[in-house]
Amino acid sequence: MNAQNEFIRISTNDLDLVIRIAQSKRIYQAYLGPKLMNESDFKSLFVSLKGGSEGSVSARGWEVYPASGAEDFFEPAFAIQHNDGNMTSIFRYVSHESKTIDANIKETVIYLKDDVYPVDVKLVYKTFGKENIIKTWTEITHEEKKPVTISRYASSMLYFENTDYFLTEFSGDWAMEARMSTQPLHFGKKILETKLGSRAAMHVSPFFELGLGQPAQENQGNVVLGTLGWSGNFQFTFEVDNAGNLRVISGINPYASNYELNPKETFVTPEFIFTISTEGTGKASRNFHTWARNYQLKDGKGDRLTLLNNWEATYFDFDEAKLEDIMGEAKMLGVDMFLLDDGWFGNKYPRNSATQGLGDWQVNKEKLPHGIPFLVEKAKEKGVKFGIWIEPEMISPKSELIEKHPDWAIRLPNREPYYYRSQLVLDLSNPKVQDFVFGVVDNLMTENPDIAFLKWDCNSPITNIYSPYLKTKQNQLYIDHNRGVVNVFQRVKEKYPNLPMMLCAGGGGRCDYESLKYFTEFWCSDNTDPVERIYIQWGFSQFFPAKAMDAHVTSWNSRASIKFRVDVAMMCKMGFDIRTHEMKENEQKFCQQAVQDYKRLKPVILDGDQYRLVSPYETNHMAVMYANENKSKAVLFAYDIHPRMGEKMMTIKLQGLDPAKQYKVEEINVMPERKSNLRSHGQTFSGDFLMKVSLDVFTTGQMNSKVIEVTAQ
Ligand code: GLA
């Protein structure tokens, strides 16, 4: 330790974040990057004077939690208005403590205090050693006489020093989620944010990649991957300052959300979760995947159920007989479960279209006269489990619920309403409404303890922004509503810890790592065209493990063969949403075999390490593989999308195998009447050969695919 500068070291197995406590007691980021060998070198970090020279009044930049009104003229992490109207804060170090939670997890808390106003900030860092993941958030509290107004409340601010910065964002819309695009960052700001309130990630997902020195690449280069655990409005600000340094501020979007914080109340910001890799995005993604399975995802280590969903197969048009038929088809396919989608509820306003009935969670007596228990029983008879769809955060303007509780919907009392998908969002800032939403699940589960799965949808952004409950505190709606949602998620998980649940928001409009504490998986997109899915799944795979990503075989893109559609779904958590009786006999047989093989290979696909081998963004093909932990088994998925005629065919070098082992290569998922035309089918190669020389799997066929099982001998 240097006498004048103390350092706080926050590290994982391969990363260090070093924070310097200056003599002024302000704290600065001194280092963030690959792990340093010697703590004795820390004093030399001071030579680069991050945060300005000691004692100088112009100590600008690199402050860990800079607040409004100080000498740093760029975006602050925090902004406040005190009781006396003053709008400045400077936080100084009070103390810090580190505790070891287990062999892999450590938590460091840094206590800061404004020396002029009674405002305290706690910076919390939780590190996951092996996975090289750092989670960080802040806790803000004060003891002023009256509430203070906080107008910025970042979870984290990080600094990077490089010649060039490249940001990869994941934007899109309904049916076009997680489209990746990369741009250089120059002086000034680039902001990624949403203001949708709920279904908030419809236009942009709450994560980003940063390439330092060069655009992020798969297998080489320095990259940062960051994401916010918040399913409401989020904001990432990337600002290149006058010195050419990049500042990254992550947190809740403060848009229309000046928050009044009562004395002694604590404002806890959402978790910002990040990793840094010196070997490109592939390694960084694997950090996230392993960490999510080990620590964050609901039942991250558990199994996942294959299923047949009736949404695309029937939409709202079904009755008991039709559902029984589909249950039979689920059994025929060999999947674990039948999932009943939208349309099963509402009586005064039957849910026969998306225009009415949300909120009235009583079974529709006309379509399903014997109720849900009867369906659960029928599924049991057919030999499959039963899952059900709900959208409990929403309310239709045509519903009994709104007639009974007109003040439960978020809507303006004095303007014409605007409806998105003919619905409104329930006001989850209201604890009574939270009870109601919890009750939707609880009632279903109490009546039907054998329900094996919930699909929880959320189809509307918040429109007509006015909470009847918050009255004069409308500025807290976006935040309090989302906290209310999470509160219900928590209650559901507490009471039903083993219930698998799918997060859905008109497709992938909600996919954040806070929600995924309470959900086992999420629906990536309503777009199940396998060609589009290749890109969508590539995008989400940057942050989420295959186990969390639901992919179903449907009728979208009928030009694609059943095989191609199955092969694309099989690289994630596979399901079906299609009438099997419309398939040819050989297609049915193919699907049955594919389901069997998938169940056998789930431990590799869902729990193995993922290697993205060939990018659809860079070629007319895509390839991805999974290898299990002891490298005894791998599965390779290779897709030809729209290759050009006469295109130079590339071969694939595998990754993640043991060079010393011998592996047998076998093509699976071959149509029943066909034989594999893979030249290497049935042959054995060393891991060394497969990783250095290659496999020849691509073709110039349109929408052609191969699934290859690689087994150590
Ligand atoms: C959303 C979901 C679909 C389906 C419909 C039902 O669009 O993404 O999968 O459940 O709602 O209305």
Side-chain angles (χ1 to χ4, degrees):
M1 287 278 173
N2 181 298
Q4 300 195 325
N5 288 280
E6 286 187 45
F7 296 96
I8 304 170
R9 181 179 204 176
I10 292 155
S11 38
T12 66
N13 289 10
D14 303 328
L15 299 178
D16 261 327
L17 166 62
V18 182
I19 290 170
R20 174 170 71 88
I21 308 163
Q23 257 183 315
S24 60
K25 295 287 178 207
R26 291 170 73 171
I27 64 166
Y28 298 94
Q29 179 185 311
Y31 178 79
L32 174 59
K35 194 139 180 181
L36 299 173
M37 268 173 76
N38 313 306
E39 249 182 56
S40 55
D41 283 342
F42 286 6
K43 60 183 182 304
S44 308
L45 291 170
F46 182 57
V47 176
S48 67
L49 288 178
K50 302 227 164 99
S53 54
E54 198 58 77
S56 111
V57 283
S58 60
R60 287 167 49 187
W62 299 90
E63 188 160 20
V64 174
Y65 207 61
S68 54
E71 71 292 331
D72 186 271
F73 303 117
F74 293 88
E75 274 311 320
F78 180 78
I80 189 168
Q81 184 156 34
H82 301 283
N83 285 182
D84 64 0
N86 187 305
M87 294 179 76
T88 66
S89 255
I90 292 180
F91 294 115
R92 296 185 200 267
Y93 173 84
V94 179
S95 66
H96 76 280
E97 65 199 11
S98 289
K99 63 172 183 245
T100 300
I101 294 182
D102 64 27
N104 195 44
I105 308 176
K106 234 176 135 176
E107 188 173 286
T108 302
V109 184
I110 307 175
Y111 298 87
L112 304 175
K113 189 172 202 42
D114 186 331
D115 54 358
V116 176
Y117 291 91
V119 180
D120 295 272
V121 173
K122 241 163 91 171
L123 307 179
V124 189
Y125 298 86
K126 204 165 179 178
T127 56
F128 300 82
K130 260 195 310 139
E131 298 83 4
N132 291 301
I133 292 280
I134 304 180
K135 230 187 206 189
T136 173
W137 70 92
T138 63
E139 298 181 13
I140 300 145
T141 181
H142 74 95
E143 292 194 18
E144 296 197 20
K145 289 214 165 57
K146 288 190 286 178
V148 298
T149 304
I150 51 175
S151 53
R152 300 283 161 99
Y153 22 74
S155 296
S156 145
M157 177 144 176
L158 297 174
Y159 300 80
F160 299 93
E161 188 173 26
N162 215 294
T163 47
D164 300 286
Y165 312 96
F166 295 86
L167 172 68
T168 301
E169 65 188 30
F170 298 76
S171 55
D173 205 328
W174 176 78
M176 41 196 264
E177 290 86 344
R179 295 196 167 178
M180 297 171 67
S181 59
T182 300
Q183 58 187 278
L185 298 172
H186 299 295
F187 178 83
K189 274 187 286 188
K190 159 82 188 177
I191 293 176
L192 290 180
E193 64 174 12
T194 174
K195 302 187 182 94
L196 296 173
S198 71
R199 194 183 174 174
M202 178 161 59
H203 299 147
V204 59
S205 297
F207 38 85
F208 64 83
E209 295 179 348
L210 264 180
L212 302 177
Q214 60 172 35
Q217 300 198 18
E218 193 65 33
N219 293 310
Q220 57 95 4
N222 294 324
V223 294
V224 184
L225 266 63
T227 180
L228 194 77
W230 182 251
S231 76
N233 294 343
F234 61 83
Q235 186 180 64
F236 300 117
T237 305
F238 304 87
E239 186 167 29
V240 178
D241 65 17
N242 58 324
N245 296 325
L246 172 66
R247 299 138 174 259
V248 180
I249 306 176
S250 307
I252 297 175
N253 190 349
Y255 164 74
S257 298
N258 282 355
Y259 204 90
E260 276 181 40
L261 190 64
N262 293 318
K264 298 210 165 124
E265 194 187 339
T266 304
F267 187 95
V268 181
T269 65
E271 297 170 350
F272 174 65
I273 308 152
F274 72 100
T275 187
I276 298 179
S277 153
T278 56
E279 297 160 47
T281 48
K283 170 77 166 44
S285 297
R286 284 188 293 281
N287 289 348
F288 263 101
H289 299 168
T290 319
W291 164 81
R293 284 190 304 253
N294 286 344
Y295 300 107
Q296 193 81 356
L297 202 56
K298 182 177 185 185
D299 197 19
K301 300 214 192 211
D303 196 8
R304 294 292 183 272
L305 298 169
T306 54
L307 58 85
L308 175 61
N309 189 191
N310 74 311
W311 175 240
E312 303 245 334
T314 65
Y315 294 105
F316 296 96
D317 179 22
F318 56 81
D319 56 20
E320 286 173 346
K322 213 186 224 179
L323 296 184
E324 272 186 62
D325 260 11
I326 300 178
M327 290 174 191
E329 293 177 32
K331 184 66 190 169
M332 185 276 287
L333 276 172
V335 295
D336 302 306
M337 179 174 63
F338 163 73
L339 169 62
L340 174 60
D341 214 283
D342 195 357
W344 58 267
F345 51 90
N347 286 295
K348 181 169 175 194
Y349 301 101
R351 182 75 173 167
N352 291 328
S353 73
T355 57
Q356 59 183 34
L358 284 175
D360 301 347
W361 299 102
Q362 297 78 33
V363 73
N364 178 285
K365 295 209 178 86
E366 213 164 294
K367 280 186 196 170
L368 307 171
H370 301 95
I372 299 299
F374 173 80
L375 294 176
V376 179
E377 202 42 49
K378 282 288 158 207
K380 221 181 266 173
E381 278 170 26
K382 301 272 181 197
V384 289
K385 293 180 196 281
F386 181 87
I388 195 164
W389 177 98
I390 50 173
E391 192 180 359
E393 295 158 72
M394 300 288 156
I395 185 164
S396 297
K398 273 196 198 159
S399 64
E400 290 183 75
L401 186 68
I402 213 164
E403 287 168 1
K404 203 161 150 208
H405 296 288
D407 57 336
W408 280 11
I410 295 176
R411 59 173 169 177
L412 285 156
N414 52 357
R415 288 183 200 277
E416 273 296 293
Y418 161 68
Y419 300 120
Y420 191 98
R421 210 189 192 227
S422 317
Q423 63 195 64
L424 289 166
V425 179
L426 279 171
D427 183 2
L428 271 290
S429 68
N430 182 345
K432 279 206 187 115
V433 179
Q434 292 173 26
D435 289 344
F436 169 80
V437 176
F438 172 73
V440 174
V441 176
D442 203 29
N443 295 340
L444 260 175
M445 293 307 295
T446 307
E447 186 194 37
N448 306 283
D450 287 339
I451 286 182
F453 188 84
L454 283 187
K455 173 176 176 184
W456 182 307
D457 214 335
C458 163
N459 276 302
S460 181
I462 301 183
T463 54
N464 314 288
I465 183 83
Y466 182 89
S467 156
Y469 176 75
L470 289 170
K471 299 198 174 72
T472 58
K473 290 198 179 171
Q474 295 302 319
N475 43 312
Q476 306 201 171
L477 176 52
Y478 284 122
I479 293 179
D480 288 356
H481 171 79
N482 195 59
R483 285 184 175 157
V485 172
V486 175
N487 182 31
V488 177
F489 288 171
Q490 272 167 352
R491 286 170 67 185
V492 170
K493 187 178 171 187
E494 261 162 42
K495 184 140 185 211
Y496 304 101
N498 303 317
L499 182 65
M501 309 216 305
M502 179 204 287
L503 189 60
C504 176
R510 174 144 75 186
C511 52
D512 67 278
Y513 267 123
E514 177 64 27
S515 304
L516 285 170
K517 285 179 183 168
Y518 316 105
F519 288 80
T520 47
E521 54 211 82
F522 70 95
W523 181 230
C524 301
S525 179
D526 280 354
N527 191 338
T528 45
D529 172 341
V531 170
E532 292 301 322
R533 270 294 180 133
I534 284 178
Y535 293 85
I536 292 168
Q537 291 167 193
W538 182 273
F540 281 123
S541 81
Q542 307 290 316
F543 283 83
F544 303 105
K547 172 172 250 178
M549 293 168 47
D550 286 338
H552 295 177
V553 178
T554 74
S555 314
W556 281 54
N557 191 350
S558 51
R559 286 177 303 119
S561 65
I562 276 282
K563 168 172 166 55
F564 190 72
R565 286 181 255 163
V566 169
D567 286 2
V568 171
M570 201 159 160
M571 62 167 277
C572 292
K573 202 219 89 168
M574 181 167 74
F576 290 79
D577 194 347
I578 191 167
R579 287 309 302 263
T580 54
H581 67 67
E582 285 162 14
M583 290 181 190
K584 298 194 193 102
E585 205 186 311
N586 67 336
E587 291 176 334
Q588 290 183 0
K589 269 202 187 133
F590 169 81
C591 290
Q592 287 171 324
Q593 184 61 44
V595 169
Q596 269 188 39
D597 282 327
Y598 181 73
K599 286 185 167 177
R600 183 172 58 78
L601 294 170
K602 262 195 291 181
V604 185
I605 299 170
L606 300 185
D607 293 311
D609 286 331
Q610 184 193 61
Y611 297 89
R612 289 182 299 256
L613 304 176
V614 176
S615 167
Y617 282 94
E618 290 163 11
T619 68
N620 299 321
H621 309 267
M622 193 273 239
V624 62
M625 69 174 282
Y626 301 87
N628 66 359
E629 207 183 343
N630 64 17
K631 300 178 193 289
S632 63
K633 178 79 86 184
V635 185
L636 167 66
F637 295 89
Y639 309 97
D640 305 308
I641 309 172
H642 295 304
R644 303 285 308 277
M645 190 184 128
E647 129 183 345
K648 168 89 179 94
M649 213 39 65
M650 76 189 115
T651 51
I652 298 179
K653 292 185 175 62
L654 305 196
Q655 293 185 36
L657 300 178
D658 179 347
K661 283 193 170 114
Q662 292 292 320
Y663 292 92
K664 186 163 185 195
V665 168
E666 286 164 299
E667 187 180 8
I668 57 168
N669 276 20
V670 181
M671 289 303 286
E673 72 279 12
R674 298 243 172 108
K675 279 207 183 102
S676 169
N677 59 4
L678 180 75
R679 272 196 295 163
S680 48
H681 178 69
Q683 295 187 33
T684 299
F685 306 88
S686 71
D688 184 57
F689 179 91
L690 292 172
M691 292 194 290
K692 286 190 187 143
V693 184
S694 66
L695 266 186
D696 192 5
V697 293
F698 287 137
T699 73
T700 49
Q702 304 288 310
M703 294 187 284
N704 209 24
S705 53
K706 285 199 170 63
V707 181
I708 296 164
E709 192 175 337
V710 179
T711 313
Q713 298 302 294

